[in-house]
Amino acid sequence: MDKNSDFIVEKRIERTIEALKKNKMNGYLVQDEKELIEKIEEIVNEGSSVAVGGSMTLFETGIIDYLRSGKYTFFDRYKEGLTKEEIKEVFRKSFSADAYFGSSNAVTEDGELYNVDGNGNRVAAMLYGPDKVIVVVGFNKIVKDLEAAIERNREMSAPANAKRLNKATPCVKVGYCMDCSSDDRICSEYTLIRKQFDKNRIHVIIVNKSLGY
Ligand code: SF4
């Protein structure tokens, strides 16, 4: 990016962090993965129990490997060889984790988190359960408002995830949401986090790069 487009993104991030604060959530800007880990270490104490929601961003930024490093008690849904029942057990245990990590399908400049899930385990834990929720996003997830968040999900997040998961849904063919009635549909629970009671619960860390979808 050149200096002028950097400036536009910087201002967008500033507005978003300010709006999150008004909604009793914390927003931070970090430049890279090193700063991301430093920020996480400020927020989540060593020895805490941690869990994750499905997220490409957490893989791309190396956070999954970091959580496996032994610093935390990691309820690891991605551990090799887990049965379906064991994964379900991890999902349920995740509600009692000290900190829950994930990304967001969109973050609005009004300071809201918009997410669509298929299974619901991720959005459920974001809404209630873990004492802290750490949301890691690239600047590409920031959108103007709720309308743009819904559009972003229909035009990018949901079709890209359906493609990643090899679903037999129409969006995988045309590249945008067709509000299908396919048995393979991955869009079930639509959530908007607009405000928190506890201002120390949700922490949105914006990494100054494009990540995930
Ligand atoms: S509702 Fe169906 S078509 Fe739309 S994004 Fe979800 S899976 Fe794809």
Side-chain angles (χ1 to χ4, degrees):
M1 287 200 300
D2 75 6
K3 268 202 282 185
N4 302 312
S5 51
D6 278 354
F7 168 78
I8 302 297
V9 171
E10 195 184 302
K11 289 287 149 195
R12 190 176 295 158
I13 293 171
E14 270 177 30
R15 283 195 295 277
T16 306
I17 290 176
E18 198 50 43
L20 284 165
K21 200 171 159 195
K22 282 188 189 137
N23 294 344
K24 289 182 137 182
M25 292 181 262
N26 302 279
Y28 316 90
L29 170 64
V30 299
Q31 296 303 324
D32 53 30
E33 283 77 357
K34 185 174 171 288
E35 285 188 21
L36 171 62
I37 296 220
E38 285 167 4
K39 184 52 73 185
I40 289 170
E41 288 179 347
E42 278 173 29
I43 303 166
V44 183
N45 295 331
E46 200 170 331
S48 297
S49 58
V50 296
V52 297
S55 160
M56 290 314 292
T57 300
L58 294 184
F59 278 104
E60 277 179 48
T61 51
I63 295 305
I64 299 290
D65 288 335
Y66 169 71
L67 296 179
R68 285 175 173 155
S69 68
K71 276 191 170 175
Y72 306 103
T73 302
F74 183 21
F75 306 148
D76 188 355
R77 55 174 290 177
Y78 294 116
K79 195 169 158 190
E80 248 177 72
L82 290 185
T83 63
K84 228 174 156 184
E85 276 309 304
E86 286 167 334
I87 293 173
K88 192 166 152 188
E89 195 48 41
V90 172
F91 286 168
R92 286 184 170 157
K93 248 169 95 175
S94 300
F95 294 121
S96 65
D98 295 320
Y100 190 77
F101 287 75
S103 190
S104 187
N105 296 132
V107 181
T108 74
E109 288 184 29
D110 295 323
E112 302 156 319
L113 307 179
Y114 179 73
N115 285 289
V116 180
D117 252 21
N119 196 38
N121 61 291
R122 175 184 66 127
V123 293
M126 289 176 84
L127 296 181
Y128 187 80
D131 285 337
K132 286 181 182 166
V133 177
I134 316 299
V135 180
V136 180
V137 292
F139 63 70
N140 52 313
K141 299 283 188 78
I142 297 177
V143 296
K144 182 133 195 64
D145 53 20
L146 177 57
E147 198 182 329
I150 293 168
E151 189 181 324
R152 179 174 203 286
N153 184 66
R154 289 175 57 91
E155 304 285 323
M156 174 57 78
S157 314
N161 274 310
K163 183 145 181 56
R164 174 176 66 86
L165 297 166
N166 282 321
K167 296 294 181 185
T169 52
C171 56
V172 165
K173 291 200 181 87
V174 300
Y176 57 87
C177 177
M178 295 189 73
D179 197 16
C180 68
S181 44
S182 162
D183 285 346
D184 258 6
R185 177 172 169 136
I186 61 163
C187 309
S188 306
E189 289 85 19
Y190 295 70
T191 65
L192 180 70
I193 299 178
R194 183 163 268 166
K195 200 139 189 134
Q196 290 288 285
F197 279 140
D198 177 359
K199 68 176 171 48
N200 293 314
R201 184 167 183 268
I202 293 192
H203 302 263
V204 181
I205 309 178
I206 302 165
V207 186
N208 201 8
K209 46 172 85 175
S210 181
L211 294 165
Y213 10 92

